[in-house]
Amino acid sequence: MTATDPTPPALLPAATPRELSANEVTFTVPAAELPFATTAEIAVAPGWVGQERALAALELGLGVTHAGYNIYVCGLGGTQREQTLATLLTELTRSFPRPGDRVLVQNFQNRDRPRTFYLPAGQGKELRHELQELVEDLKRALPETFRKETFEEEKERLAERFGHEGEEIAKALQQRAAEKGFALQPHPQGGIIFIPLKDGRPMEAEELQKLTEAEQENLRQREREVSREVKTMLRRQQALGRRLAREVKAAERRVAADVINPLLEEIGQHYSSEVQQYLTELREHMLDNLDDFRDQPQAPAPFPFAAMAPGGYESALVDYEVNVLVDNSGVTAAPVIIEPSPAYKNLFGAVERMVDPSGKLVTNFTRIKAGSLLRAHGGCVIINALDALSEPLVWRSLKRCLKSGELEIEGYDPFALFATSALKPEPIRISTRVILTGPAELFQLLYFYDEEFGEIFKVRADFGYEVGDKEARASFYAQVARIVREEQLPPFTAAAVAALMEFGARLINDRRKLPSQWDPVSDVMREAAFWCRKQDGREVDATHVHQALEQRIFRLNRYEEKLREFIRDGTLLVDLDGSKVGQLNGLAVATPVTGDSRRLHGQPGDHQRRARSPDERTDARQGRVHHLRLSAPHLRPGFSPQPLGQRVLRAVVLRDRGRQRIIHRTLRVALQLERGTLAPGSRCHRQRQSVGGNSTDRWHQRED
């Protein structure tokens, strides 16, 4: 069955099992059969032979743009599996279009919700540079414009016009006060002094004291009337001052607009209508805040922490900055990003803070940083599934983002207890494929226990560990040559490559196939190259490969040598001849090259032990029993020692209660038959009949 031909192959009858000879179980590759002398003669080719299923899954997940077709990759081994997968994804996405830039600007209507723009690749950096130049030009041009004679003359004309109006108001007030018998005089500290008049001259104090009660009351009444008129005059003068300020500001806006408009029009003609609308709002904000562009003296720092804050105090001109979240000006295809640390900030972005002069943690839109999900827009991001599940708040937020297709950058900092300012940018639409890497067991757990997982990760790419078609050997040669050239190892001879092929076939326990996972083979290549260089060799030969493999065993077999020493000294006794009823010899494998001899006992009626010793039960629970050898072949008529040992092993390791009960029943019946104590009609006799007949066939049926 292939990706193009779903028809399963026809089943063939199984061959009759036979005992293999020593030559048949030894796999050798003659170096003379290889079509090269060294790897320097081999052309490097892509090394994905035998991974057609995984490649088809990746192509489907990357090609379908609908939501939910994210990919879970399993089967890749080694510490460099993310890098290996990234190399493959780069090849598959080479024809994808280059994504654009993401920029963040100030929202002048709602400063807590910065606006985001999606621009063609490279325009984000250009927009930022052009607005920075605009601000610098205005900081220089506007003060010069305000100092020009034409503008000063216009201000003088306005001041003269409004000054005449003010003088007329003051004259009318003086005349009205004189009619009431008062003269008005400004006070040096502010306010107005009311001076009573008599025959056109100020009254003396003695004259005021000689006034009758009725005359004094009349004087106070006239003073109150004049005071009300003075207040009215002051309000008119204040309104006149406000009119003058508005006229001056309008004049400043007209003069500044003549400077700003041509510059913004020149910038806006290169961008979309959305950016042009933003530039219009920016122009209005600049005209409303022209004082920010005037020459202002630098005030001394009133707070010691201000010097520690990045960038010092927040300038009012920061509103005209452009925060380029994603700059794709230097890329040529869709991005493929590996996220080695999928923390919340690294994936979704962050809102950084700084210390303001009062000691508080504050921020602005230029402090917002993009995460790997946003930087991988238009491409894919590779995440380790176990790492993502172990990080707080990541898994639920990741599922929410992938379901909605929108990314929200929020300030996540649980330790910022004194932060008073928070920003929440507008949601950003993303088209990012998430590639999770992890074991197949984790995929099954998530699929069955997380109801949303199957809807979000609809594609599973399962990489195999072996390949056995006709192109397997050619691919093996090419991958060896690729590793040699990429890591600058000495050339490998044909004999060295043959030794590597023998090692690879032994890894997968099949002489007809070769491994498709290259981490174990590449490790042996590096170690063989080390021994070659240590011996001042120019080419890696088969002796160097064998030496690397022997050194691996030597580094791990101290325990094995100690066991052999115990056996030689008679401390550990192993019976190799004869047989005993209910007793087996077993082997507990501690490491890939080390095993420990164990004796297994089976006792009739002992349901707890189930034909194994306490030590063996411990080894079985730890999954360390790999092979059993029987020394009592007569336990069951029709049973060969090897199949029974395999079934004991499977019952122990797989914890199959049914197999364990049958094994225990078989041993008990066999022991009673051996002792001659099996009574007809007894329970054991009925059990004997129930498992009688062709026992080998029944065991096969039970396993099936």
Side-chain angles (χ1 to χ4, degrees):
M1 179 184 298
T2 61
T4 57
D5 185 11
T7 305
L11 299 179
L12 301 177
T16 304
R18 62 183 180 85
E19 183 177 356
L20 300 178
S21 63
N23 293 332
E24 289 176 321
V25 298
T26 303
F27 176 62
T28 58
V29 178
E33 296 182 359
L34 302 186
F36 57 89
T38 65
T39 54
E41 305 173 4
I42 304 175
V44 177
W48 301 105
V49 176
Q51 304 292 356
E52 288 78 11
R53 288 184 176 84
L55 294 177
L58 291 176
E59 290 179 359
L60 175 67
L62 296 174
V64 178
T65 58
H66 194 272
Y69 281 83
N70 300 287
I71 307 171
Y72 187 97
V73 176
C74 56
L76 279 177
T79 58
Q80 301 295 322
R81 57 180 176 271
E82 283 81 11
Q83 288 75 10
T84 303
L85 181 60
T87 302
L88 174 58
L89 293 175
T90 302
E91 298 176 1
L92 295 177
T93 59
R94 195 178 303 277
S95 60
F96 285 22
R98 180 174 66 164
D101 296 341
R102 293 282 185 178
V103 299
L104 198 68
V105 297
Q106 182 65 278
N107 189 343
F108 299 109
Q109 279 71 37
N110 187 358
R111 301 178 67 87
D112 292 336
R113 298 279 287 180
R115 300 174 60 183
T116 59
F117 294 144
Y118 183 72
L119 303 176
Q123 285 195 4
K125 188 165 58 176
E126 294 178 1
L127 179 61
R128 178 179 61 185
H129 180 67
E130 290 179 350
L131 289 185
Q132 287 176 348
E133 287 187 343
L134 172 67
V135 171
E136 293 299 326
D137 292 342
L138 294 180
K139 287 169 63 177
R140 181 180 62 258
L142 289 180
E144 294 178 356
T145 302
F146 295 150
R147 289 193 297 265
K148 288 183 178 180
E149 289 187 17
T150 54
F151 181 68
E152 293 295 336
E153 291 175 356
E154 185 174 358
K155 289 176 61 177
E156 291 177 0
R157 286 195 300 270
L158 291 174
E160 184 178 355
R161 179 163 63 89
F162 283 93
H164 290 318
E165 294 183 12
E167 291 176 0
E168 292 177 358
I169 294 174
K171 288 179 180 180
L173 180 61
Q174 290 284 356
Q175 183 178 359
R176 184 62 176 164
E179 293 175 357
K180 297 291 184 180
F182 286 93
L184 303 178
Q185 180 179 349
H187 194 276
Q189 296 181 357
I192 297 177
I193 301 174
F194 297 91
I195 302 175
L197 299 177
K198 183 178 182 181
D199 299 333
R201 62 176 180 80
M203 296 179 64
E204 300 292 338
E206 295 80 2
E207 295 177 340
L208 291 174
Q209 293 177 359
K210 293 179 180 179
L211 294 176
T212 62
E213 186 69 27
E215 291 175 342
Q216 291 182 1
E217 180 63 26
N218 183 25
L219 181 64
R220 287 193 290 269
Q221 179 65 27
R222 287 185 287 117
E223 182 181 1
R224 286 193 292 270
E225 293 177 359
V226 173
S227 177
R228 286 194 293 270
E229 292 182 0
V230 168
K231 291 180 181 179
T232 303
M233 182 272 297
L234 291 177
R235 285 195 293 269
R236 291 178 62 187
Q237 285 187 341
Q238 291 174 356
L240 190 64
R242 289 193 295 269
R243 285 175 54 196
L244 175 61
R246 286 196 295 269
E247 291 290 339
V248 172
K249 190 172 183 179
E252 290 179 347
R253 286 177 63 94
R254 289 194 300 271
V255 173
D258 293 338
V259 178
I260 297 175
N261 289 344
L263 298 176
L264 287 178
E265 290 175 0
E266 182 180 358
I267 294 175
Q269 63 184 359
H270 304 298
Y271 299 97
S272 62
S273 58
E274 188 178 20
V275 178
Q276 292 177 2
Q277 176 64 28
Y278 162 73
L279 294 178
T280 302
E281 298 176 3
L282 182 141
R283 179 179 62 85
E284 294 299 324
H285 189 272
M286 284 183 172
L287 294 176
D288 292 338
N289 298 272
L290 292 174
D291 291 339
D292 297 338
F293 295 94
R294 299 183 187 275
D295 296 331
Q296 297 178 354
Q298 291 290 337
F303 192 68
F305 290 164
M308 300 169 56
Y313 295 125
E314 181 179 349
S315 171
L317 300 178
V318 75
D319 290 339
Y320 312 127
E321 290 283 342
V322 175
N323 184 4
V324 182
L325 294 176
V326 181
D327 180 18
N328 286 322
S329 59
V331 301
T332 57
V336 178
I337 297 176
I338 302 175
E339 184 51 70
S341 177
Y344 186 90
K345 291 184 177 181
N346 296 338
L347 274 180
F348 302 99
V351 181
E352 297 180 349
R353 295 181 174 91
M354 61 182 178
V355 181
D356 71 346
S358 62
K360 296 184 298 184
L361 292 175
V362 297
T363 186
N364 57 59
F365 74 97
T366 63
R367 299 281 174 176
I368 299 176
K369 307 299 179 183
S372 55
L373 281 176
L374 183 57
R375 290 186 285 111
H377 171 75
C380 52
V381 58
I382 303 173
I383 306 172
N384 186 281
L386 292 174
D387 294 341
L389 290 170
S390 62
E391 291 289 343
L393 302 180
V394 167
W395 183 245
R396 186 176 298 274
S397 301
L398 179 63
K399 293 192 298 181
R400 182 169 59 249
C401 175
L402 295 180
K403 286 192 300 181
S404 63
E406 292 184 347
L407 175 66
E408 295 186 7
I409 303 178
E410 300 177 345
Y412 169 70
D413 194 353
F415 302 103
L417 301 179
F418 303 101
T420 58
S421 60
L423 297 178
K424 189 175 181 181
E426 296 177 348
I428 304 173
R429 297 291 302 178
I430 62 172
S431 177
T432 304
R433 278 287 176 261
V434 174
I435 314 295
L436 286 183
T437 62
E441 295 81 5
L442 180 60
F443 177 87
Q444 299 295 335
L445 290 175
L446 292 173
Y447 189 84
F448 287 107
Y449 290 99
D450 190 338
E451 59 183 9
E452 298 176 339
F453 179 78
E455 301 175 1
I456 300 173
F457 292 88
K458 297 182 178 181
V459 181
R460 172 179 173 179
D462 194 354
F463 283 82
Y465 62 91
E466 61 183 15
V467 56
D469 56 9
K470 298 179 181 180
E471 300 179 358
R473 287 201 171 192
S475 176
F476 192 92
Y477 307 153
Q479 292 309 305
V480 171
R482 178 185 61 83
I483 295 174
V484 168
R485 296 176 189 177
E486 288 181 355
E487 303 188 12
Q488 298 181 355
L489 303 179
F492 277 59
T493 63
V497 176
L500 291 174
M501 294 175 64
E502 296 170 2
F503 169 73
R506 183 172 291 277
L507 278 178
I508 59 176
N509 297 321
D510 195 332
R511 63 190 300 165
R512 300 165 301 176
K513 299 179 180 180
L514 291 172
S516 59
Q517 302 288 342
W518 275 88
D519 288 291
V521 178
S522 60
D523 289 341
V524 174
M525 293 177 60
R526 298 182 187 102
E527 296 171 15
F530 164 77
W531 292 110
C532 175
R533 288 168 176 156
K534 187 175 182 180
Q535 300 171 7
D536 297 330
R538 295 185 176 180
E539 296 178 348
V540 179
D541 202 354
T543 55
H544 301 126
V545 177
H546 294 154
Q547 186 176 5
L549 296 175
E550 292 170 0
Q551 287 295 321
R552 280 190 167 191
I553 298 174
F554 174 74
R555 293 192 299 269
L556 299 175
N557 71 342
R558 184 177 64 85
Y559 183 66
E560 179 186 1
E561 292 294 336
K562 201 66 178 178
L563 287 177
R564 292 180 178 177
E565 180 181 343
F566 288 159
I567 295 174
R568 287 196 304 267
D569 296 344
T571 305
L572 181 62
L573 302 178
V574 180
D575 293 334
L576 301 178
D577 300 327
S579 61
K580 292 184 179 180
V581 176
Q583 185 171 313
L584 311 174
N585 285 346
L587 180 66
V589 179
T591 68
V593 295
T594 306
D596 186 9
S597 300
R598 296 296 175 94
R599 178 175 295 174
L600 293 89
H601 300 276
Q603 298 181 6
D606 189 351
H607 294 274
Q608 299 298 324
R609 294 190 179 183
R610 289 188 178 88
R612 58 183 186 271
S613 66
D615 292 339
E616 190 57 30
R617 289 199 303 272
T618 302
D619 294 337
R621 282 192 293 269
Q622 297 177 357
R624 290 188 291 159
V625 178
H626 285 208
H627 180 66
L628 296 176
R629 178 180 177 183
L630 296 183
S631 58
H634 57 281
L635 282 179
R636 174 78 186 274
F639 257 85
S640 63
Q642 185 66 20
L644 180 57
Q646 293 176 354
R647 286 160 179 77
V648 173
L649 167 67
R650 297 184 66 178
V652 170
V653 175
L654 300 179
R655 299 184 181 181
D656 190 324
R657 298 288 182 179
R659 287 195 180 94
Q660 292 174 2
R661 285 194 294 269
I662 291 180
I663 291 172
H664 171 73
R665 186 170 58 192
T666 302
L667 291 176
R668 189 168 67 174
V669 170
L671 290 175
Q672 292 190 9
L673 284 174
E674 179 72 17
R675 297 172 181 174
T677 59
L678 182 63
S682 63
R683 180 180 179 184
C684 291
H685 186 267
R686 292 194 302 271
Q687 292 174 352
R688 163 66 174 164
Q689 292 178 341
S690 65
V691 299
N694 193 337
S695 57
T696 304
D697 294 339
R698 290 185 177 272
W699 275 104
H700 284 299
Q701 293 174 4
R702 176 63 184 173
E703 290 186 349
D704 294 338

Short mmCIF file of all heavy atoms in Angstrom, two decimals, residues 30-54:
data_model
loop_
_atom_site.label_atom_id
_atom_site.label_comp_id
_atom_site.label_asym_id
_atom_site.label_seq_id
_atom_site.Cartn_x
_atom_site.Cartn_y
_atom_site.Cartn_z
N PRO A 30 29.77 -7.29 1.98
CA PRO A 30 31.11 -7.22 1.36
C PRO A 30 31.39 -5.82 0.84
O PRO A 30 30.59 -5.23 0.11
CB PRO A 30 31.02 -8.25 0.23
CG PRO A 30 29.85 -9.13 0.58
CD PRO A 30 28.90 -8.27 1.31
N ALA A 31 32.52 -5.27 1.22
CA ALA A 31 32.88 -3.92 0.77
C ALA A 31 33.08 -3.86 -0.73
O ALA A 31 32.88 -2.81 -1.35
CB ALA A 31 34.14 -3.46 1.50
N ALA A 32 33.46 -4.99 -1.35
CA ALA A 32 33.69 -4.98 -2.80
C ALA A 32 32.41 -4.78 -3.59
O ALA A 32 32.45 -4.37 -4.76
CB ALA A 32 34.37 -6.28 -3.21
N GLU A 33 31.27 -5.06 -2.98
CA GLU A 33 30.00 -4.90 -3.69
C GLU A 33 29.53 -3.45 -3.73
O GLU A 33 28.62 -3.12 -4.49
CB GLU A 33 28.93 -5.77 -3.03
CG GLU A 33 29.21 -7.26 -3.12
CD GLU A 33 28.10 -8.07 -2.48
OE1 GLU A 33 27.14 -7.45 -1.97
OE2 GLU A 33 28.19 -9.31 -2.48
N LEU A 34 30.13 -2.59 -2.93
CA LEU A 34 29.69 -1.21 -2.90
C LEU A 34 30.25 -0.46 -4.10
O LEU A 34 31.43 -0.60 -4.44
CB LEU A 34 30.13 -0.53 -1.60
CG LEU A 34 29.64 -1.20 -0.31
CD1 LEU A 34 30.01 -0.36 0.90
CD2 LEU A 34 28.14 -1.45 -0.34
N PRO A 35 29.45 0.40 -4.74
CA PRO A 35 29.87 1.03 -6.01
C PRO A 35 30.72 2.29 -5.82
O PRO A 35 30.58 3.24 -6.57
CB PRO A 35 28.54 1.36 -6.69
CG PRO A 35 27.61 1.62 -5.55
CD PRO A 35 28.04 0.70 -4.44
N PHE A 36 31.57 2.33 -4.80
CA PHE A 36 32.43 3.50 -4.59
C PHE A 36 33.60 3.08 -3.72
O PHE A 36 33.57 2.01 -3.08
CB PHE A 36 31.64 4.63 -3.91
CG PHE A 36 31.02 4.24 -2.60
CD1 PHE A 36 31.72 4.38 -1.41
CD2 PHE A 36 29.73 3.72 -2.55
CE1 PHE A 36 31.15 4.01 -0.21
CE2 PHE A 36 29.15 3.34 -1.36
CZ PHE A 36 29.86 3.48 -0.18
N ALA A 37 34.62 3.91 -3.74
CA ALA A 37 35.79 3.65 -2.90
C ALA A 37 35.70 4.40 -1.58
O ALA A 37 35.97 3.84 -0.52
CB ALA A 37 37.07 4.03 -3.64
N THR A 38 35.33 5.68 -1.65
CA THR A 38 35.12 6.49 -0.45
C THR A 38 33.86 7.33 -0.64
O THR A 38 33.32 7.44 -1.75
CB THR A 38 36.32 7.43 -0.18
OG1 THR A 38 36.41 8.39 -1.24
CG2 THR A 38 37.61 6.65 -0.07
N THR A 39 33.41 7.94 0.45
CA THR A 39 32.20 8.77 0.39
C THR A 39 32.43 10.05 -0.40
O THR A 39 31.45 10.74 -0.73
CB THR A 39 31.75 9.13 1.82
OG1 THR A 39 32.85 9.72 2.53
CG2 THR A 39 31.27 7.90 2.56
N ALA A 40 33.67 10.39 -0.70
CA ALA A 40 33.92 11.58 -1.51
C ALA A 40 33.37 11.43 -2.92
O ALA A 40 33.15 12.43 -3.61
CB ALA A 40 35.41 11.88 -1.55
N GLU A 41 33.13 10.18 -3.36
CA GLU A 41 32.63 9.95 -4.70
C GLU A 41 31.10 9.93 -4.77
O GLU A 41 30.54 9.80 -5.85
CB GLU A 41 33.16 8.61 -5.22
CG GLU A 41 34.69 8.51 -5.17
CD GLU A 41 35.16 7.11 -5.54
OE1 GLU A 41 34.28 6.28 -5.90
OE2 GLU A 41 36.37 6.84 -5.48
N ILE A 42 30.42 10.05 -3.62
CA ILE A 42 28.97 9.90 -3.57
C ILE A 42 28.32 11.28 -3.65
O ILE A 42 28.75 12.23 -2.99
CB ILE A 42 28.53 9.19 -2.27
CG1 ILE A 42 29.24 7.83 -2.16
CG2 ILE A 42 27.02 9.01 -2.23
CD1 ILE A 42 28.95 7.11 -0.86
N ALA A 43 27.27 11.38 -4.46
CA ALA A 43 26.51 12.62 -4.56
C ALA A 43 25.47 12.65 -3.45
O ALA A 43 24.78 11.66 -3.18
CB ALA A 43 25.82 12.72 -5.92
N VAL A 44 25.37 13.79 -2.78
CA VAL A 44 24.42 13.94 -1.67
C VAL A 44 23.02 14.11 -2.24
O VAL A 44 22.80 14.87 -3.19
CB VAL A 44 24.80 15.16 -0.80
CG1 VAL A 44 23.78 15.36 0.29
CG2 VAL A 44 26.19 14.96 -0.21
N ALA A 45 22.06 13.38 -1.67
CA ALA A 45 20.66 13.43 -2.12
C ALA A 45 19.77 13.50 -0.89
O ALA A 45 20.19 13.16 0.22
CB ALA A 45 20.33 12.19 -2.96
N PRO A 46 18.52 13.99 -1.05
CA PRO A 46 17.60 14.02 0.08
C PRO A 46 17.41 12.65 0.69
O PRO A 46 17.29 11.64 -0.01
CB PRO A 46 16.29 14.54 -0.54
CG PRO A 46 16.73 15.29 -1.76
CD PRO A 46 17.95 14.56 -2.27
N GLY A 47 17.40 12.61 2.00
CA GLY A 47 17.38 11.33 2.71
C GLY A 47 16.06 10.97 3.33
O GLY A 47 16.01 10.70 4.53
N TRP A 48 14.98 10.98 2.56
CA TRP A 48 13.68 10.65 3.11
C TRP A 48 13.07 9.43 2.43
O TRP A 48 11.85 9.32 2.31
CB TRP A 48 12.74 11.85 2.98
CG TRP A 48 13.26 13.05 3.69
CD1 TRP A 48 13.83 14.16 3.14
CD2 TRP A 48 13.31 13.25 5.11
NE1 TRP A 48 14.22 15.04 4.11
CE2 TRP A 48 13.91 14.51 5.33
CE3 TRP A 48 12.91 12.49 6.21
CZ2 TRP A 48 14.12 15.02 6.60
CZ3 TRP A 48 13.11 13.01 7.47
CH2 TRP A 48 13.70 14.25 7.66
N VAL A 49 13.92 8.52 2.00
CA VAL A 49 13.44 7.28 1.39
C VAL A 49 12.76 6.44 2.47
O VAL A 49 13.28 6.27 3.57
CB VAL A 49 14.60 6.51 0.75
CG1 VAL A 49 14.11 5.18 0.20
CG2 VAL A 49 15.23 7.35 -0.36
N GLY A 50 11.59 5.91 2.14
CA GLY A 50 10.86 5.08 3.09
C GLY A 50 9.93 5.86 4.00
O GLY A 50 9.26 5.25 4.84
N GLN A 51 9.88 7.18 3.87
CA GLN A 51 9.01 7.99 4.72
C GLN A 51 7.86 8.60 3.92
O GLN A 51 7.46 9.73 4.15
CB GLN A 51 9.84 9.11 5.38
CG GLN A 51 11.03 8.64 6.16
CD GLN A 51 10.64 7.87 7.41
OE1 GLN A 51 9.47 7.75 7.72
NE2 GLN A 51 11.62 7.33 8.10
N GLU A 52 7.34 7.82 2.97
CA GLU A 52 6.30 8.35 2.10
C GLU A 52 5.05 8.75 2.88
O GLU A 52 4.39 9.75 2.57
CB GLU A 52 5.93 7.32 1.02
CG GLU A 52 7.00 7.14 -0.04
CD GLU A 52 8.16 6.27 0.45
OE1 GLU A 52 8.01 5.67 1.54
OE2 GLU A 52 9.19 6.20 -0.24
N ARG A 53 4.68 7.97 3.89
CA ARG A 53 3.48 8.30 4.67
C ARG A 53 3.65 9.62 5.41
O ARG A 53 2.75 10.47 5.43
CB ARG A 53 3.18 7.18 5.67
CG ARG A 53 2.66 5.90 5.04
CD ARG A 53 2.31 4.87 6.10
NE ARG A 53 1.73 3.68 5.52
CZ ARG A 53 2.43 2.67 5.02
NH1 ARG A 53 3.75 2.72 5.04
NH2 ARG A 53 1.83 1.61 4.51
N ALA A 54 4.78 9.77 6.06
CA ALA A 54 5.02 11.01 6.80
C ALA A 54 5.09 12.21 5.86
O ALA A 54 4.54 13.29 6.16
CB ALA A 54 6.31 10.90 7.61
#
